[in-house]
Amino acid sequence: MWDGMASSQERILRVNCSRDRTMIQLIRGFKDILPGEVETWQHIENVARALFQDFGFKEIRIPIMERTELFARSIGEDTDIVEKEMYTFPDRKGDLITLRPEATASICRSYVQHKMYAEDPIQKFYTIGPMFRRERPQKGRYRQFYQINVEIFGVLSALADAVLIFLLKTLCERLGVADVEAHVNSLGCPDCRPGFKNRLQTYIASVSQKICADCRRRKDRNPLRVLDCKVPDCRAAMADAPSILDCLCDICRHEFQLLQTTLDGLNVPYVLDKHLVRGLDYYTRATFEFQTRSLGAQSAVAGGGRYDKLVQLLGGPDTPATGFAIGFDRLAEIVQIQGPDLQRKPDLYIAAMGDKSRALAFGWICELGKQGFYAEMDFQDKSLKSQMKRAHRIRASHVLMVGENELRSGSVTLRNMSTKNQDDIPMDRLMEKLVKRLSAEKKPHKEM
Ligand code: AMP
């Protein structure tokens, strides 16, 4: 691997020296989040933060890179993520480093490393940030994607799972996202899951001719994954597979029942989905997913569940935990489809003609910006026609016109671009008057 690194560094030098001027494209599976879209992201982030704080969750920020063994140990060696999707490379000392494919393992590492359990075993966190998985890129599936993670440590009761599902539903409601459906299942625990795995393996052996090559490979080491394969033949073959809900031990059954009655009590509708499993090994008991029909094949907007053994697996005390991850990119896509245009438009465009007017206008836009009003102008000499065109294009709500005539007469013209009403305003104490007018007419800006 070191040789590989050396030669890639030589390649970097060669690339830098190149006189090539062709356009450089972003990496496959990565994407830019452009203005126009980014406002939706900011809106989601603000609504999510406010909601999490309403429920007592604290923000935690964890690194983007971790030691590879953190993910290998927690996510599981036999999972798709660890087997083939991680961005792993040696750093200069040869330590293996991985760009985080998910956040839960890091949050657990942090909980253990900083002994947060000593202060209070019950801790509630959220974090927002990018994850990296080298999956096959397609719509709704990226190699750098973003997640909003929420975790509760130290609570064994299914009430904690219920509150997370309720939180997700409330977030969707606050964002005006209607087309989502909660799916819930239990994955059992180390006591009852092995029995189910055996029954499932026997079943899979009976349909092994009908399932895809990936599932045939997975069936021995990770038979649960065959249950959620999206290939139509696999779905058909697994339709009559045994249900884990018939194999749960008494405690798991009781906890799953508690989850359901609590969700009923909270008026959260859900689908009992016996085929719902998670791609990560550390999940136990309650597992859930929020699915939508708005996004085609990539229907999962959020997924989560209980991971009671992970803290211990990472060297901490026996601490139950539960959490979820929202696919930010996917949520943003639905909010963008269903939501309003959140991009901020100028409150005022100043069409200035001539050097003197332009200098005045420049002072005005700075002063208005300072007072919380977004004002635009052209810094270069442009005809009135082209300035009005730009004011239209950027959808300014008002235009202020100032030129030789206005300077002579001592009053400027203010035009409301939606009503087309226009009036003259004397220039003395202009800022004061403008602020008053714009405040009165400004629609309250959408919570950003
Ligand atoms: P997971 O961490 O695999 O349980 O995924 C949680 C959520 O993250 C999923 O429900 C998706 O919404 C989102 N997600 C996972 N992988 C990707 C990806 N490659 N691109 C975009 N979103 C993803």
Side-chain angles (χ1 to χ4, degrees):
M1 219 177 272
W2 269 114
D3 283 356
M5 285 293 280
S7 67
S8 47
Q9 269 160 13
E10 279 164 24
R11 265 178 22 223
I12 291 168
L13 286 177
R14 255 185 314 200
V15 168
N16 279 345
C17 297
S18 138
R19 292 183 170 277
D20 197 351
R21 292 290 178 269
T22 49
M23 182 177 64
I24 298 170
Q25 304 257 2
L26 48 65
I27 309 168
R28 196 166 126 77
F30 288 61
K31 64 171 187 172
D32 300 316
I33 303 155
L34 302 175
E37 196 184 347
V38 99
E39 292 76 10
T40 307
W41 286 62
Q42 290 167 337
H43 173 62
I44 292 173
E45 224 175 289
N46 290 338
V47 172
R49 280 177 197 283
L51 175 68
F52 299 155
Q53 281 158 20
D54 290 344
F55 279 77
F57 287 81
K58 295 185 188 127
E59 182 169 8
I60 181 169
R61 297 191 187 193
I62 38 155
I64 282 180
M65 294 197 281
E66 296 268 8
R67 291 174 196 281
T68 303
E69 61 184 291
L70 173 68
F71 303 115
R73 203 194 301 172
S74 51
I75 298 172
E77 308 260 5
D78 292 337
T79 55
D80 283 352
I81 295 180
V82 173
E83 249 181 16
K84 52 186 187 197
E85 294 171 358
M86 295 202 307
Y87 283 94
T88 296
F89 54 90
D91 73 358
R92 284 175 182 270
K93 274 189 168 170
D95 296 328
L96 275 189
I97 303 276
T98 293
L99 286 180
R100 63 181 187 193
E102 58 106 39
T104 304
S106 301
I107 298 175
C108 278
R109 193 238 346 107
S110 181
Y111 178 81
V112 173
Q113 182 170 349
H114 301 291
K115 297 193 173 56
M116 295 190 218
Y117 48 82
E119 189 193 325
D120 182 357
I122 300 177
Q123 299 278 350
K124 303 198 282 183
F125 301 119
Y126 75 89
T127 196
I128 302 176
M131 309 296 152
F132 303 85
R133 293 182 198 170
R134 205 174 186 290
E135 295 188 82
R136 195 167 57 79
Q138 53 185 286
K139 191 170 158 43
R141 175 170 292 173
Y142 310 101
R143 290 178 168 177
Q144 175 176 335
F145 60 99
Y146 292 73
Q147 283 188 341
I148 303 175
N149 280 80
V150 176
E151 322 281 351
I152 302 178
F153 288 87
V155 184
L156 189 58
S157 165
L159 292 182
D161 308 316
V163 94
L164 290 178
I165 295 172
F166 183 69
L167 202 65
L168 260 172
K169 178 177 176 264
T170 311
L171 178 63
C172 290
E173 280 168 5
R174 286 199 187 175
L175 290 169
V177 169
D179 178 27
V180 280
E181 191 171 60
H183 287 231
V184 299
N185 193 18
S186 173
L187 295 178
C189 68
D191 286 341
C192 55
R193 190 154 41 175
F196 171 67
K197 265 191 175 175
N198 283 342
R199 278 181 67 178
L200 188 62
Q201 270 165 332
T202 310
Y203 177 85
I204 297 173
S206 73
V207 294
S208 68
Q209 296 312 310
K210 299 179 187 160
I211 57 179
C212 71
D214 266 352
C215 283
R216 270 202 293 277
R217 190 177 49 78
R218 282 186 197 130
K219 72 181 189 322
D220 296 323
R221 293 199 308 186
N222 203 347
L224 263 64
R225 289 315 308 270
V226 182
L227 278 174
D228 81 337
C229 180
K230 303 284 181 281
V231 174
D233 284 350
C234 295
R235 290 196 150 212
M238 297 303 287
D240 296 325
S243 165
I244 187 152
L245 299 178
D246 298 328
C247 303
L248 296 180
C249 63
D250 286 348
I251 304 177
C252 287
R253 186 171 308 115
H254 171 268
E255 285 298 306
F256 195 51
Q257 197 53 50
L258 176 62
L259 174 64
Q260 292 172 69
T261 48
T262 311
L263 291 177
D264 293 339
L266 291 168
N267 288 322
V268 178
Y270 55 88
V271 176
L272 268 190
D273 185 345
K274 65 173 186 163
H275 282 192
L276 183 68
V277 297
R278 315 283 317 136
L280 318 177
D281 270 1
Y282 55 60
Y283 283 105
T284 48
R285 288 199 183 144
T287 188
F288 52 89
E289 202 164 87
F290 271 54
Q291 298 179 2
T292 177
R293 275 176 296 266
S294 308
L295 296 178
Q298 303 310 319
S299 59
V301 186
R306 191 155 270 287
Y307 49 95
D308 291 333
K309 301 293 162 203
L310 187 55
V311 174
Q312 205 171 27
L313 190 69
L314 295 176
D318 190 3
T319 308
T322 181
F324 65 73
I326 302 172
F328 203 141
D329 310 67
R330 295 183 192 174
L331 183 62
E333 218 164 297
I334 310 177
V335 174
Q336 188 114 9
I337 298 168
Q338 300 181 355
D341 179 2
L342 296 167
Q343 195 161 33
R344 186 158 175 190
K345 312 287 176 319
D347 300 306
L348 184 70
Y349 181 91
I350 306 183
M353 301 296 298
D355 290 345
K356 205 166 162 206
S357 302
R358 224 174 9 260
L360 275 174
F362 182 76
W364 296 339
I365 65 160
C366 293
E367 181 55 34
L368 286 168
K370 204 165 111 182
Q371 299 204 36
F373 295 90
Y374 167 27
E376 275 283 354
M377 66 178 286
D378 258 298
F379 290 159
Q380 282 149 304
D381 191 17
K382 291 272 168 64
S383 69
L384 181 63
K385 194 172 161 202
S386 99
Q387 293 191 63
M388 291 306 284
K389 252 189 177 165
R390 178 148 185 256
H392 269 291
R393 196 167 57 236
I394 62 178
R395 295 198 270 154
S397 61
H398 296 80
V399 173
L400 185 81
M401 283 167 273
V402 54
E404 297 287 320
N405 292 342
E406 284 76 11
L407 292 183
R408 249 196 315 273
S409 69
S411 58
V412 287
T413 308
L414 183 69
R415 181 179 169 86
N416 181 319
M417 297 296 272
S418 38
T419 63
K420 311 276 184 263
N421 286 343
Q422 197 162 297
D423 47 337
D424 292 341
I425 309 180
M427 281 170 68
D428 64 302
R429 301 194 357 253
L430 180 65
M431 281 302 98
E432 224 175 276
K433 292 174 193 161
L434 273 179
V435 164
K436 215 164 160 192
R437 282 286 291 271
L438 294 177
S439 318
E441 292 181 35
K442 191 174 175 176
K443 290 189 202 83
H445 186 58
K446 267 258 161 207
E447 221 275 75
M448 291 283 295

